[in-house]
Amino acid sequence: MTEFYEIDFLAVETKQSGDAITLRYSYGGGEVIQVVDGGFTDMGAKILEQIDTHYRAGATIDFVVLTHPDNDHAAGLKHVLENREVRHLIMNRPWIYAKELLPYTTFSSAERLESRLRDEFPHSAALEEIAIQKGVDIYEGFQGTIFGDFTILAPSRARYLDLILDAANLRRSALALEAVSGYVSKQSEPHDVYASWGEEHFSPNATSPRNEMSIVQFAKLTGKKILLTGDAGRDTLSEAIGFAKEQQISLPGIDVFQVPHHGSRRNVSTELLNELLGEILPGPSETRKFCAFVSSAKADPHHPRKSVLRAMHHRGGAVYATEGRQIRMANGLTRTNWSALTPEPYPDTEEAD
């Protein structure tokens, strides 16, 4: 069978950005259909329409992956699970670790802690309920898990459990979330400044612990290295890089890169991007070394950040943002009536605090 893959970054178009990705690829003499995140509620029907129109009408979905429990990634998957045969659901469920987490909290019983965690992550809890009702197998999504041609690079199980305490503000010390994680939920809007080629300034603030819970998954399809990051932050990306090296995955050299968290300044750094995508080039180049994809809503004024778009260009990337349109990347398959996109231009300004 001829090797092929295609990845579709669907347009999640609300006032906030979200993620919804469908993909299929050749595997074991057949094909795998996979959904990664589902955007907001109304995206569920659009995901199934996408599969029926461009993959195979009524196709069973082999893997549904929820990277982390935020509404803009999880809500649309409810419709997918309710209205289509799904073989495997890959997601992490904080409440099943209540007994292990109990000593680090002020809760008096694992049962009460489990209830609190279900309330804290309602979209994941709803997906679990649907999956159980329909007999869909649920698998943990921790470092080292392999499904189809994909390997999960992060988070590790131990680190994920630690993140739950911060994400739900459960630590026995009862410190505020800001003090525990370094994450500040409200910041003044940065202003733009002119910057020369190669200058990179990212936010000094970390992304949220909930985003750091994101599953980072890697595959090599038709010889192309593909990295899907969800909303992973710097710590999760660093963990993913470390594990990739242990697995002898050659870095830098990602060919298809999902820019984390809709192009946020809080999720990447110069050092991490150097390890994943390569060093900053001495100047602009016509040769494209990789493709970077950003799931960002046209109505969202905060994503993607110019500093992040610039960083992709600095390493020879062609950058594409959804911004109300569906974007497809493929090898070995054609699709009629689809045309090539022009990459995002290089911004000559970037955000500064």
Side-chain angles (χ1 to χ4, degrees), residues 197 254-255 257 277 279 281 285-293 309-320 343-346:
W197 174 268
I254 299 299
D255 298 295
F257 180 61
L277 305 173
E279 299 282 337
L281 301 176
S285 173
E286 295 297 322
T287 302
R288 297 301 184 185
K289 296 174 64 177
F290 64 94
C291 291
F293 296 92
L309 296 180
R310 285 169 52 90
M312 300 300 113
H313 282 272
H314 291 161
R315 292 161 178 82
V319 194
Y320 304 92
E344 298 290 327
Y346 179 72

Side-chain angles (χ1 to χ4, degrees), residues 98-114:
K99 288 183 179 179
E100 291 180 70
L101 294 172
L102 186 63
Y104 306 99
T105 75
T106 57
F107 279 78
S108 59
S109 71
E111 290 74 20
R112 289 189 177 187
L113 178 55
E114 179 180 342

Side-chain angles (χ1 to χ4, degrees), residues 242-263:
F243 185 71
K245 291 178 179 178
E246 289 178 13
Q247 300 302 302
Q248 298 184 331
I249 296 171
S250 178
L251 292 176
I254 299 299
D255 298 295
V256 179
F257 180 61
Q258 181 193 11
V259 179
H261 198 200
H262 325 295

Side-chain angles (χ1 to χ4, degrees), residues 33 35-36 58 62 129 148 170 203 294 302 352:
I33 294 178
V35 173
V36 180
D62 297 285
E129 183 178 350
L170 292 172
S203 174
V294 186
H302 305 295

Side-chain angles (χ1 to χ4, degrees), residues 10 13 17 25 47 59 84 87 96 138 149 160 186 191 210 214 232 237 239 251 295 327-328 333-335 350:
L10 278 59
E13 194 53 46
S17 298
Y25 57 90
I47 289 170
R84 186 60 54 93
R87 290 198 172 102
I96 70 175
I138 306 175
D149 273 338
Y160 181 83
K186 293 183 180 179
H191 60 279
R210 293 174 72 103
S214 291
L237 291 177
E239 188 177 45
L251 292 176
S295 295
I327 299 177
R328 173 181 183 259
L333 291 172
T334 58
R335 190 180 293 176
E350 64 178 354

Side-chain angles (χ1 to χ4, degrees), residues 4-10 21-25 50 55 221-228 254-258 288-293 318-320 322 326-335 338-341:
F4 66 83
Y5 80 87
E6 58 183 334
I7 304 177
D8 289 274
F9 296 84
L10 278 59
I21 302 170
T22 64
L23 60 147
R24 66 168 172 162
Y25 57 90
Q50 151 70 19
Y55 298 174
L221 305 176
T222 69
K224 302 296 183 182
K225 297 176 186 174
I226 296 166
L227 190 68
L228 303 179
I254 299 299
D255 298 295
V256 179
F257 180 61
Q258 181 193 11
R288 297 301 184 185
K289 296 174 64 177
F290 64 94
C291 291
F293 296 92
V319 194
Y320 304 92
T322 52
Q326 180 175 330
I327 299 177
R328 173 181 183 259
M329 180 75 180
N331 190 25
L333 291 172
T334 58
R335 190 180 293 176
W338 284 62
S339 57
L341 287 177

Side-chain angles (χ1 to χ4, degrees), residues 119-269:
D119 291 341
E120 185 72 26
F121 304 103
H123 300 290
S124 299
L127 291 176
E128 179 194 58
E129 183 178 350
I130 297 166
I132 291 172
Q133 289 174 351
K134 297 197 67 177
V136 179
D137 293 330
I138 306 175
Y139 295 90
E140 294 175 317
F142 293 136
Q143 187 177 80
T145 299
I146 298 173
F147 57 100
D149 273 338
F150 278 83
T151 299
I152 294 178
L153 303 183
S156 62
R157 186 182 187 277
R159 186 166 161 275
Y160 181 83
L161 267 61
D162 193 59
L163 284 166
I164 294 171
L165 297 173
D166 290 341
N169 200 17
L170 292 172
R171 288 193 186 273
R172 181 180 288 278
S173 61
L175 294 174
L177 176 60
E178 287 80 3
V180 172
S181 67
Y183 173 67
V184 180
S185 59
K186 293 183 180 179
Q187 295 288 327
S188 59
E189 185 65 15
H191 60 279
D192 284 1
V193 296
Y194 284 97
S196 60
W197 174 268
E199 286 188 65
E200 296 184 348
H201 300 97
F202 302 107
S203 174
N205 300 304
T207 194
S208 71
R210 293 174 72 103
N211 288 338
E212 291 282 16
M213 296 165 83
S214 291
I215 291 172
V216 176
Q217 50 195 309
F218 169 86
K220 192 171 185 180
L221 305 176
T222 69
K224 302 296 183 182
K225 297 176 186 174
I226 296 166
L227 190 68
L228 303 179
T229 61
D231 283 357
R234 295 165 187 148
D235 288 346
T236 301
L237 291 177
S238 180
E239 188 177 45
I241 290 168
F243 185 71
K245 291 178 179 178
E246 289 178 13
Q247 300 302 302
Q248 298 184 331
I249 296 171
S250 178
L251 292 176
I254 299 299
D255 298 295
V256 179
F257 180 61
Q258 181 193 11
V259 179
H261 198 200
H262 325 295
S264 170
R265 298 165 66 229
R266 297 181 179 183
N267 293 65
V268 296
S269 68

